[in-house]
Amino acid sequence: MTRKRDAALHPSRAGCAVLRAVAQLRVSRKMPSLPAVILIVPVMLLASVKPASAHPQCLDFKPPFKPPWHLEFCNQYEQFGCCDQGTDNMIAERYWDIIEQLEAAGHELCTDMLKEIMCQECSPYAAHLYDAEDPYTPVREIPGLCFDYCSEFHSKCRHVLKYLTVNQLLLYAAERDVTTFCSMVDLPDQDYCYPNVLKSSDLNSNLGQVVEDPRGCLQLCLTEVANNLRNPVLMLHSGDDTHRMFIAEQMGFVWVYLRDGSRLEQPFLDMSGEVMTTPWLGDERGFLGMAFHPKYRDNGRFFIYYSIQVSSELEKIRISEMKVSAYDMNVADPYSERFILEIVEPAANHNGGQLLFGVDGYLYIFTGDGGKAGDPFGKYGNAQNKSALLGKVLRIDVDGSDPSGMPYRIPPDNPFLGDPGARPEVFAYGVRNMWRCSVDRGDPVSGYGRGRIFCGDVGQNRYEEIDIIIKGGNYGWRAKEGFECYDMKLCQNSSLNDILPIFAYSHHVGKSVTGGYVYRGCESPNLNGLYIFGDFMSGRIMALEEDRTTGNWKERSVCMGDTQTCSFPGLINHHHKFIISFAEDEAGELYFLATSYPSAMSAFGTVFKFMDPSRRAPPGKCKQKPLPVKVRGKKFPFVPKELTVLGTNEKPTRPPPRKFKLPTKPPVRSSQIKPTTTAAGKSTTGAAVKVKPKSSDKDTKKKNMVKPWKKDKMLNKKKASTQAKKNTLKQKSKKTTVSVKDKVKPKTNQTATETLNTSNAHNGLKDNKIHTKRKIPQRKAAQKQSGPKMKIKESTKEYPAFVNKTKANFNVRSNRTLTRQLKVKSKQT
């Protein structure tokens, strides 16, 4: 029933009013008879309609945003809404064109109400006002108006309606009576009709902030990025401006994913023959880490961290350097491996596995404590023993070699370089099994926080913790677990001097932390500065927010948005339970990798991208220009598997709003078209215009040199005097005319369906100037002779002519602004 109601109200399937101003409108359907209207209206009023969603949404089915610059016309929405400066200017252009038409017709201008109605396209609740909560229903041509406001509009300004819509049902209802009309344009949910939508405190109190559920949990949504992966342990970019993503599977394959989501057929790296892994659930051994050199674009170097087994008995972790192939940028050279470091692993678990480069250019290596329970190796355990490489954060310089034969150098400012009881590679110690660390790229404006290293350290049996790594820091294990003591003797040692975590949670929440990233992307401004991480066992996603005045971090619960919150195309609100890793792309957007079955051989791994449904960045702000990627071989396109909130199998009842390219010169007006005559003297145009003899070449050249705005002025002056002649001539030439549409096709109108180049739209607005009223005797005479039906017929003829004039005026003003010093030459068809 809802679809039938929409079809009755929106027969033209027109898009938003901004695009209608420059689009070629469809011919409206035949106006229904009075009995049909009387029958349709009660059915529509009794129909059950789905209530509007309770979150902001624009006509492009996306969240609103804060405009980057001041809005001149719809300035009430310059803090938060759905319009940028270009869209605001286009609405203003159309508004002034309607005002000109009202002036010429001698009507009341209705400036305030007209502006209020047109500016609702910029409202953060525009989708609700126009019944466009999802892309599968037609968009209204008039926003939802509350009954009282609609009654005032009907009594004062209903003559404006024909300039806003060609919907015959609405036009007829407006002429019939106020109750019928206002019942049609009203909304079922009175919170969203205009102007009630401005008064609701529930809708406007936290506008643009991250949506919270009743428990205070931040509601986020996801998009699916990749799938069919076998325990994906990491995803990272190469930092070479190609915006490729490299996803590593635990069994030793690294795959290349292009910006369009497709995956290359050949893997970037295949280490499956060297990597030690098993199909056992939760086995921590395998391909565990990878990092690209900061100058990878120039030197092609990258580093890997994986488990190996020697002589079927001894297990080790190996850190190696490799290079990209000289012949294919998407394939590593399999013979380029150079061993950097190997460390014996006494147990199968706690293998660490993180590699990353800090802002200082050095390589950081994060190792586990060796495994088993409670770090039982030696008197103090591996983690507190600075002479062991296990349970540590190591820092080395891979851009050189040591005279002693090591394939790396020790940075001169490493904290224990002069300590005879410590390995010189140690940068920090006292860690248990840090699983996933990241470098904060810093606030995009101030740079605050840049270079900080965040880690999630997996706990023993009580607490999981998040740490910020500091040079020379002792992070407490095995003396402490989280904030609490684990080994009482070590914990009471006054020389422990450990660094407390910034956050810890008990095993009632989760049992295996997965470290994340501080969000510094562009697409979701509300998330900036939040450290987002998760738990492998519970599947819970969490966030920490820093208080810059105190330096303390407080928890912000994160949950998946409900169906209402995530009702945007392509978004999902669920994910797999086992969260293996987090990732950041080259633009700073945040992802996480999860699986439903944590085995290295099971292809249930999926990559999800975070999306904030409450606010997005302004259109065009986050555009990237990736370098081209030369691809050899096949590409597999991405095929999503997860069920989106809005069903992907449904087909929209109308196409998405098209973009149009404005003509470079104004289209030929109907008054400018010169009908050609046949031998019988019959006119070939549908307009009843006087046949004029061809002008001389000199007159034509002089006329073509006139600037477009002067030409408009001349035409406007002549219009009043020619209307009376046209009225008389119309009766004589009625039988001899044929359609202009079939015979006359101005070249300028042929480009009206091309892509809109918004950069050509000027930023200035038309002055609020009252022009001399034009006399239109033909229209006034017709009004006196006929009733409402006559008016509707006139409106269907006037609206296309008005749209053509709107396109012409918009082009003329754009050309005048951009080429004010130049003379515009135009050829008549």
Side-chain angles (χ1 to χ4, degrees):
M1 182 63 72
T2 303
R3 293 295 174 83
K4 293 180 180 179
R5 172 184 180 274
D6 290 333
L9 281 175
H10 321 296
S12 66
R13 297 286 195 268
C16 65
V18 173
L19 296 177
R20 288 200 304 270
V22 293
Q24 182 69 31
L25 295 178
R26 301 182 185 180
V27 179
S28 60
R29 298 178 181 178
K30 185 178 178 181
M31 183 181 66
S33 61
L34 178 60
V37 175
I38 296 175
L39 179 63
I40 291 173
V41 172
V43 173
M44 291 188 299
L45 295 178
L46 294 175
S48 59
V49 182
K50 183 179 68 174
S53 301
H55 66 292
Q57 188 174 346
C58 299
L59 287 176
D60 60 358
F61 319 122
K62 295 181 181 179
F65 54 88
K66 182 177 180 181
W69 299 290
H70 170 67
L71 300 184
E72 294 290 343
F73 189 68
C74 300
N75 50 23
Q76 67 269 39
Y77 296 115
E78 68 179 358
Q79 294 301 317
F80 190 71
C82 296
C83 289
D84 56 11
Q85 195 174 27
T87 306
D88 181 63
N89 288 341
M90 295 181 71
I91 295 175
E93 286 286 344
R94 185 167 176 264
Y95 169 84
W96 289 117
D97 284 331
I98 293 175
I99 294 298
E100 283 187 0
Q101 296 293 319
L102 295 174
E103 289 175 349
H107 285 315
E108 179 70 28
L109 299 184
C110 294
T111 54
D112 292 338
M113 300 194 84
L114 178 62
K115 180 178 179 181
E116 290 171 350
I117 290 175
M118 295 183 70
C119 282
Q120 293 318 299
E121 293 177 24
C122 299
S123 167
Y125 293 104
H128 310 287
L129 286 163
Y130 289 87
D131 279 349
E133 289 90 344
D134 62 68
Y136 311 118
T137 57
V139 178
R140 285 175 176 252
E141 297 173 341
I142 302 295
L145 305 178
C146 301
F147 198 89
D148 292 342
Y149 183 89
C150 177
S151 300
E152 183 181 358
F153 171 77
H154 183 271
S155 64
K156 297 179 181 179
C157 303
R158 65 175 177 270
H159 57 275
V160 176
L161 195 63
K162 63 174 173 287
Y163 300 111
L164 298 174
T165 181
V166 292
N167 189 317
Q168 293 299 297
L169 191 59
L170 285 175
L171 293 172
Y172 185 84
E175 295 297 337
R176 185 168 179 266
D177 63 79
V178 61
T179 303
T180 302
F181 172 72
C182 292
S183 297
M184 293 176 64
V185 300
D186 201 0
L187 294 178
D189 192 336
Q190 290 297 294
D191 285 338
Y192 289 100
C193 64
Y194 183 82
N196 285 1
V197 70
L198 302 178
K199 303 174 183 178
S200 173
S201 58
D202 293 336
L203 295 179
N204 297 284
S205 57
N206 295 313
L207 201 58
Q209 300 299 314
V210 181
V211 178
E212 295 186 1
D213 70 0
R215 301 168 297 173
C217 187
L218 302 180
Q219 295 191 51
L220 299 180
C221 305
L222 306 171
T223 56
E224 184 182 2
V225 174
N227 51 37
N228 288 342
L229 293 161
R230 293 163 293 190
N231 250 36
V233 292
L234 63 91
M235 182 174 85
L236 70 164
H237 63 86
S238 54
D240 58 357
D241 294 329
T242 61
H243 290 261
R244 293 172 295 171
M245 296 303 294
F246 297 79
I247 301 180
E249 295 175 322
Q250 187 175 354
M251 61 188 305
F253 290 94
V254 179
W255 302 98
V256 178
Y257 284 77
L258 302 181
R259 187 174 173 83
D260 62 1
S262 60
R263 194 198 79 183
L264 301 189
E265 179 184 29
Q266 185 177 1
F268 176 77
L269 180 64
D270 179 3
M271 297 293 294
S272 57
E274 299 290 331
V275 171
M276 178 186 180
T277 187
T278 70
W280 304 340
L281 290 180
D283 192 338
E284 299 179 18
R285 296 167 296 185
F287 190 95
L288 302 177
M290 182 174 173
F292 288 94
H293 193 279
K295 296 181 180 180
Y296 173 78
R297 182 174 176 180
D298 301 320
N299 58 33
R301 299 166 63 197
F302 64 95
F303 299 82
I304 55 176
Y305 184 128
Y306 60 96
S307 303
I308 61 171
Q309 190 173 38
V310 181
S311 300
S312 302
E313 294 182 0
L314 186 63
E315 295 182 11
K316 295 183 179 181
I317 56 170
R318 175 184 288 168
I319 294 93
S320 297
E321 176 187 332
M322 297 190 72
K323 291 185 178 181
V324 69
S325 170
Y327 306 100
D328 191 342
M329 65 185 301
N330 296 308
V331 176
D333 182 354
Y335 305 105
S336 64
E337 184 174 11
R338 181 172 71 103
F339 301 155
I340 298 295
L341 185 64
E342 288 186 355
I343 306 173
V344 176
E345 282 285 354
N349 57 347
H350 301 186
N351 290 277
Q354 181 69 54
L355 292 179
L356 57 83
F357 280 90
V359 294
D360 52 16
Y362 297 132
L363 179 65
Y364 289 76
I365 304 169
F366 299 80
T367 63
D369 65 3
K372 298 186 178 180
D375 191 9
F377 307 102
K379 184 177 180 180
Y380 306 108
N382 283 325
Q384 290 295 320
N385 181 7
K386 293 194 287 276
S387 65
L389 295 180
L390 294 173
K392 305 294 186 302
V393 179
L394 310 177
R395 184 173 73 155
I396 60 176
D397 181 1
V398 294
D399 289 332
S401 58
D402 190 82
S404 62
M406 292 189 302
Y408 57 86
R409 291 182 297 200
I410 304 299
D413 61 339
N414 267 15
F416 305 108
L417 193 58
D419 187 345
R423 289 289 297 263
E425 296 93 343
V426 175
F427 183 79
Y429 65 105
V431 303
R432 184 175 181 271
N433 187 34
M434 286 187 164
W435 181 247
R436 293 304 168 242
C437 304
S438 63
V439 179
D440 185 359
R441 62 170 63 190
D443 185 271
V445 177
S446 65
Y448 177 81
R450 182 176 182 271
R452 295 181 299 186
I453 298 177
F454 290 79
C455 286
D457 197 4
V458 180
Q460 178 65 48
N461 51 25
R462 294 182 63 190
Y463 296 101
E464 309 293 312
E465 64 182 71
I466 301 294
D467 299 300
I468 296 179
I469 304 303
I470 299 174
K471 182 171 69 173
N474 179 6
Y475 290 87
W477 176 250
R478 72 182 183 189
K480 287 185 177 180
E481 181 186 9
F483 294 102
E484 305 296 328
C485 289
Y486 179 80
D487 186 319
M488 296 303 296
K489 293 182 178 179
L490 292 177
C491 186
Q492 295 173 359
N493 189 341
S494 59
S495 63
L496 183 63
N497 193 26
D498 61 316
I499 297 174
L500 296 178
I502 62 171
F503 179 73
Y505 61 93
S506 72
H507 279 196
H508 294 92
V509 176
K511 297 182 179 180
S512 181
V513 66
T514 301
Y517 284 78
V518 178
Y519 180 82
R520 301 298 188 185
C522 173
E523 295 177 7
S524 302
N526 283 333
L527 304 183
N528 185 38
L530 290 181
Y531 176 73
I532 300 178
F533 64 104
D535 189 272
F536 174 79
M537 293 299 293
S538 68
R540 182 169 179 175
I541 297 176
M542 295 164 275
L544 300 178
E545 184 176 22
E546 182 183 14
D547 184 347
R548 293 191 183 183
T549 58
T550 62
N552 296 327
W553 294 77
K554 63 178 180 179
E555 181 184 6
R556 300 292 303 274
S557 297
V558 175
C559 52
M560 293 297 99
D562 54 30
T563 301
Q564 181 174 272
T565 302
C566 295
S567 291
F568 296 102
L571 296 191
I572 59 179
N573 59 353
H574 61 275
H575 61 83
H576 301 319
K577 177 182 178 181
F578 301 99
I579 301 175
I580 304 173
S581 185
F582 285 77
E584 184 184 54
D585 66 17
E586 202 160 354
E589 300 305 321
L590 191 58
Y591 306 74
F592 70 95
L593 296 71
T595 185
S596 58
Y597 193 78
S599 168
M601 308 300 180
S602 301
F604 296 104
T606 304
V607 180
F608 301 95
K609 179 182 179 182
F610 284 102
M611 302 291 289
D612 176 16
S614 59
R615 177 188 172 193
R616 61 171 159 151
K621 180 180 180 182
C622 302
K623 289 183 178 179
Q624 304 292 330
K625 295 182 179 179
L627 294 177
V629 178
K630 297 180 180 179
V631 177
R632 298 182 179 182
K634 295 182 180 179
K635 295 191 300 182
F636 295 101
F638 170 63
V639 179
K641 289 188 173 182
E642 301 299 320
L643 184 65
T644 58
V645 174
L646 295 180
T648 55
N649 294 329
E650 296 185 65
K651 294 183 178 180
T653 55
R654 63 176 179 81
R658 294 188 302 169
K659 296 181 179 180
F660 298 89
K661 183 177 181 181
L662 299 176
T664 56
K665 50 187 176 181
V668 179
R669 312 290 179 80
S670 59
S671 59
Q672 292 176 288
I673 299 174
K674 296 180 180 179
T676 59
T677 56
T678 62
K682 295 182 179 181
S683 172
T684 61
T685 66
V689 295
K690 185 177 180 180
V691 178
K692 297 180 181 180
K694 293 183 179 181
S695 58
S696 63
D697 294 339
K698 185 176 180 180
D699 294 338
T700 303
K701 184 176 181 180
K702 183 177 180 180
K703 186 175 182 181
N704 287 341
M705 291 297 291
V706 179
K707 293 183 178 180
W709 66 271
K710 288 186 177 180
K711 192 178 294 184
D712 287 342
K713 188 174 182 181
M714 293 166 60
L715 292 172
N716 291 337
K717 289 181 178 179
K718 293 179 180 180
K719 188 175 181 179
S721 61
T722 57
Q723 287 295 337
K725 295 179 181 180
K726 288 182 180 180
N727 190 30
T728 304
L729 189 59
K730 182 177 180 180
Q731 301 298 328
K732 297 180 181 180
S733 60
K734 184 176 182 181
K735 297 181 181 180
T736 62
T737 57
V738 294
S739 175
V740 176
K741 183 177 180 180
D742 296 334
K743 298 296 183 180
V744 180
K745 297 182 180 179
K747 293 181 179 180
T748 52
N749 286 343
Q750 293 175 1
T751 62
T753 58
E754 297 178 3
T755 305
L756 172 63
N757 185 358
T758 55
S759 62
N760 290 337
H762 64 83
N763 293 331
L765 298 178
K766 184 169 181 177
D767 296 333
N768 188 0
K769 182 179 180 182
I770 306 299
H771 298 282
T772 305
K773 295 182 179 179
R774 306 161 189 162
K775 296 181 180 179
I776 310 179
Q778 178 186 354
R779 186 182 185 283
K780 291 186 177 180
Q783 285 182 352
K784 294 179 180 179
Q785 293 174 4
S786 54
K789 290 185 179 181
M790 183 63 189
K791 293 182 181 180
I792 293 174
K793 290 180 179 180
E794 287 180 358
S795 67
T796 58
K797 294 178 181 179
E798 291 177 4
Y799 189 86
F802 160 68
V803 172
N804 290 334
K805 186 176 186 302
T806 299
K807 291 188 287 186
N809 290 345
F810 185 85
N811 296 324
V812 170
R813 294 189 185 101
S814 299
N815 291 334
R816 185 169 72 246
T817 302
L818 296 173
T819 60
R820 188 172 297 176
Q821 304 294 330
L822 303 176
K823 293 183 178 180
V824 180
K825 296 182 179 182
S826 61
K827 295 183 179 181
Q828 293 183 339
T829 305

